[in-house]
Amino acid sequence: MIKDIIGFTAAFFLVIILFPQIYKTYKSKKVDDLAYGFLFLQTFTSVLFLIYGILLNEIPMIASNIMIFIQSMIMVGFKIIYTKPRREILII
């Protein structure tokens, strides 16, 4: 019982941790400070923990890492969509 309470509480806070960043990025359309390395590691970590949760049959871990994976994909999408193309100056 206490294990489930702690698990679901941790899952809740893990899931809401990216909401402010997603909202801010959506509103500002600024992604220059988001590193692809961070986004890759976050996505990779959520996939590994999802697999781990499935192997352990731990519902809080499975549910939270599915949500984190979705949030990571949203951030990757924002990074791709909102990254401004570089203008190259041609010197002739």
Side-chain angles (χ1 to χ4, degrees), residues 15-27 71 75:
V15 168
I16 66 168
I17 202 165
L18 279 180
F19 283 165
Q21 185 64 51
I22 290 172
Y23 179 76
K24 181 180 179 184
T25 303
Y26 175 74
K27 292 302 259 185
Q71 292 173 351
M75 292 301 291

Side-chain angles (χ1 to χ4, degrees), residues 28-76:
S28 71
K29 313 282 193 266
K30 294 180 183 176
V31 293
D32 296 337
D33 293 335
L34 287 175
Y36 278 112
F38 163 75
L39 295 171
F40 169 76
L41 287 173
Q42 181 175 352
T43 303
F44 185 66
T45 302
S46 68
V47 169
L48 290 178
F49 269 118
L50 175 59
I51 294 168
Y52 185 60
I54 291 169
L55 292 173
L56 294 177
N57 198 26
E58 290 291 334
I59 300 302
M61 187 177 283
I62 295 168
S64 62
N65 282 289
I66 288 171
M67 292 299 297
I68 293 298
F69 178 77
I70 291 168
Q71 292 173 351
S72 298
M73 291 294 95
I74 290 169
M75 292 301 291
V76 168

